[in-house]
Amino acid sequence: MNRANASILALALLLASPLALAKSTDRNQPMDIESDSQSGVVTGDGTTVLSGNVVLTQGTLSINAARGEIIRSNGELSKAIFTGKQVKMRQQLDDGSWMDAAADRIEYDLLKETVVFIGNYTISSPRGSNSGQRMVYNTTTGGMQSGGDGSRVRTVIQPKSAAPQGKN
């Protein structure tokens, strides 16, 4: 592997790290959803619409949005979509630091295990930040892809001395 490829690989690993290190135990916690109103299905297939001051918490994960949709397919949760100007997301990382994200739309596909940040997104942690118009993040592999749609992507990588040093 040449130096340029090694640098690109290192950059890709650093960019993915804010989400890849999200608190691993959060998935096993109950999900609590509050909003001003909710309408839709509770069982079976369909969509539940959450309107007004939507707050979702699961372990250390917190999402605040103006509107949400919870989609059920084949009797299981399959997708969650949150919209607003802006949707705010916060989650503690396994090292004890925090990751903050904001976007006009956040789509979580539970079947594909992807999170898509759409519209003026910014993701930041003590390790650095990434911002642009669209990012797809695979929660299983830790892979991410942003840009490619003609828009610019901006990344800031903090020096090693500024990164978190173990659990706080």
Side-chain angles (χ1 to χ4, degrees), residues 45-135:
D45 295 348
T47 302
T48 297
V49 176
L50 315 163
S51 299
N53 301 308
V54 177
V55 178
L56 176 143
T57 56
Q58 184 178 28
T60 67
L61 172 67
S62 172
I63 298 175
N64 295 351
R67 186 174 191 277
E69 295 178 36
I70 307 297
I71 301 165
R72 297 177 63 89
S73 180
N74 297 320
E76 299 290 327
L77 293 177
S78 62
K79 195 170 198 178
I81 301 169
F82 299 94
T83 55
K85 292 282 182 191
Q86 285 217 299
V87 178
K88 305 285 186 191
M89 179 175 146
R90 186 163 216 251
Q91 187 168 27
Q92 189 173 34
L93 307 179
D94 277 336
D95 70 5
S97 63
W98 289 89
M99 180 274 304
D100 290 288
D104 294 339
R105 181 180 180 99
I106 298 176
E107 298 179 359
Y108 180 42
D109 188 322
L110 287 87
L111 302 178
K112 294 180 182 176
E113 297 191 6
T114 58
V115 181
V116 182
F117 299 90
I118 303 167
N120 302 310
Y121 80 85
T122 299
I123 299 169
S124 61
S125 77
R127 299 173 193 274
S129 64
N130 184 270
S131 59
Q133 292 303 308
R134 187 171 194 276
M135 174 199 268

